[in-house]
Amino acid sequence: MTKQPMRVWPAEGASRAPYWIYDDPEVFRVEQERIFGQSWCYVGLAAEVPEPGSFQRSHVGDRSVILVRDKEGKINVLENRCAHRGMEFCRASAGKATRFQCPYHQWTFDLQGNLCGVPFKRGIHGEGGMPDDFDLADHPLRKLRVTNHNGAVFASYAEEPEPFEQYLAEPMRAYFDRVFDGRPLRVLGYMRQRIPCNWKLILENTKDPYHATLLHSFLVTFGLFRADQKSEVRLDASGRHAALVSRHGARQLTVAASEMASYKSDYTLQDRRLLDMQAEFRDGVGVVMMTLFPNLILHQQGNSLATRHIVPRGPDSTELSWTFFGYEDDDEALSARRLRQANLFGPAGLVSLDDGEALKATQEGLRNGRDACAVVEMGGRDREDANVMVTEVALRAFFHHYMHVMGFTRAEDER
């Protein structure tokens, strides 16, 4: 039986976020069971395992898994834990293989996770070996449920996960399929960073347009994402997923921009090609920042396309893996644009560098106030779609869903 977190959520509900959810080891443990152990989770792109035998190491929550294409061309997701003694046997981040062999005792598995070899199974000269009734078929690697949606691969530990069509329902599906439209993908490169903060802070950061127009001088100054631009915040029915949608604007000092200390009128670019963006989506939208609960951020910022895979490493440490991609039919000029614009992102990106520092400082600050809580009331206390960026509605929707999944009760319910 799962041990219940011995905590009660503030009476205000989703308009408050108690700081203990970000550093309590017991909360983190239950999250691995109730969230990452039950939900669909992003694990990679089909383009990362293009041929039979191609594999990519990935994670579902804090558990290591292997994304692999078998000899029949099917994509499998296997737990990276030997069925013998539990060793995390796959140490390479990616490669090609005809089988997986644990280095500890050399138990060997095929690309579907079936045990196909045990050294000295019958002993030596009639001595030792496994019992006569030992059956290789009884000891496979744990195999997760898998969905490949237009080239994006999701996996679940649940025996009977919710239908994927329900997990990725409208309106989120339309935003997702806008990028993952069925065209073959081309991986352009990777970035990876370790941020000393709780995994939820990273997801929340991308659900929070309020900070983006204040913290990020680059976005505000060059008109890439600003509060005075036409924008939307769209939520799914559960509140777990969100899309922040914005149209690029001109670089000019508006009345709203004058309230933004991050606007720098003297900033210039040495290479103006950095912001040379090619219209490629019919809707004319310049930015869609999408969060899929619990571990995926999908961004389209200009011509830059990337997934950000959130990997919890403990209550106060998270790995963020960025995969930048385009389409196989991109011409050389468009691929070059995508690569140039990738300079905005990642651990040293012109924009994302700010986030890493802010998240680190937030984690440090909340340690000193475990009994306090965050106020999440910008834009009101509702959980409805909004047509403005000065709002925290996506955070309130997230906390409402999080409370439900984790089984927390509110203080007023305890009375």
Side-chain angles (χ1 to χ4, degrees), residues 83-296:
H84 179 214
R85 297 283 296 279
M87 181 179 185
E88 193 173 285
F89 59 87
C90 182
R91 313 303 293 176
S93 59
K96 289 198 72 174
T98 57
R99 60 183 185 176
F100 293 114
Q101 187 175 81
C102 180
Y104 200 0
H105 299 93
Q106 297 182 10
W107 280 35
T108 303
F109 304 87
D110 66 20
L111 302 184
Q112 296 179 336
N114 301 306
L115 179 62
C116 54
V118 172
F120 306 124
K121 178 184 174 185
R122 295 300 174 221
I124 299 177
H125 305 308
E127 299 290 335
M130 303 299 285
D132 291 340
D133 61 354
F134 178 83
D135 189 344
L136 297 178
D138 293 337
H139 303 278
L141 299 175
R142 185 166 183 180
K143 192 172 180 177
L144 281 65
R145 306 290 183 181
V146 178
T147 289
N148 177 3
H149 183 77
N150 291 347
V153 183
F154 295 78
S156 177
Y157 270 100
E159 289 297 323
E160 296 184 6
E162 69 176 309
F164 191 80
E165 295 73 19
Q166 179 177 317
Y167 168 78
L168 186 59
E170 296 295 351
M172 292 300 110
R173 179 177 290 259
Y175 287 111
F176 194 81
D177 289 355
R178 179 176 172 274
V179 173
F180 290 99
D181 59 7
R183 282 182 287 171
L185 305 178
R186 177 189 299 160
V187 177
L188 299 178
Y190 300 94
M191 296 182 191
R192 187 168 62 180
Q193 65 190 116
R194 183 74 68 93
I195 304 176
C197 73
N198 185 268
W199 67 273
K200 295 185 292 297
L201 289 177
I202 296 176
L203 198 66
E204 293 165 26
N205 182 70
T206 309
K207 292 177 178 288
D208 172 21
Y210 179 34
H211 91 277
T213 199
L214 299 168
L215 175 67
H216 299 303
S217 290
F218 194 93
L219 292 183
V220 173
T221 299
F222 294 105
L224 299 181
F225 195 93
R226 218 164 62 184
D228 57 351
Q229 294 166 351
K230 187 176 181 181
S231 57
E232 307 164 1
V233 179
R234 295 291 175 257
L235 308 170
D236 77 321
S238 71
R240 56 186 159 177
H241 309 318
L244 312 185
V245 185
S246 180
R247 287 164 174 79
H248 290 157
R251 179 180 181 177
Q252 57 185 357
L253 183 60
T254 63
V255 174
S258 67
E259 293 189 35
M260 306 173 197
S262 50
Y263 182 89
K264 308 295 182 183
S265 60
D266 58 339
Y267 273 18
T268 59
L269 292 174
Q270 294 297 318
D271 188 347
R272 294 181 180 275
R273 294 179 304 164
L274 182 63
L275 300 183
D276 176 20
M277 298 180 183
Q278 174 181 325
E280 59 175 316
F281 296 98
R282 294 179 182 177
D283 55 16
V285 170
V287 181
V288 176
M289 303 294 292
M290 188 175 185
T291 49
L292 288 189
F293 183 86
N295 72 335
L296 175 62

Side-chain angles (χ1 to χ4, degrees), residues 5-26:
M6 301 302 293
R7 297 285 194 169
V8 177
W9 199 275
E12 294 87 347
S15 65
R16 296 292 186 273
Y19 290 157
W20 46 259
I21 66 173
Y22 301 105
D23 69 351
D24 187 320
E26 179 62 14

Side-chain angles (χ1 to χ4, degrees), residues 42 44-50 56 151 184-191 305 307 322-328 330 335 338-339:
Y42 171 78
L45 301 178
E48 296 177 278
V49 288
Q56 185 92 5
L185 305 178
R186 177 189 299 160
V187 177
L188 299 178
Y190 300 94
M191 296 182 191
L305 304 175
T307 60
W322 307 65
T323 302
F324 295 85
F325 64 92
Y327 305 103
E328 279 193 1
D330 287 349
S335 291
R338 297 196 199 283
L339 289 170

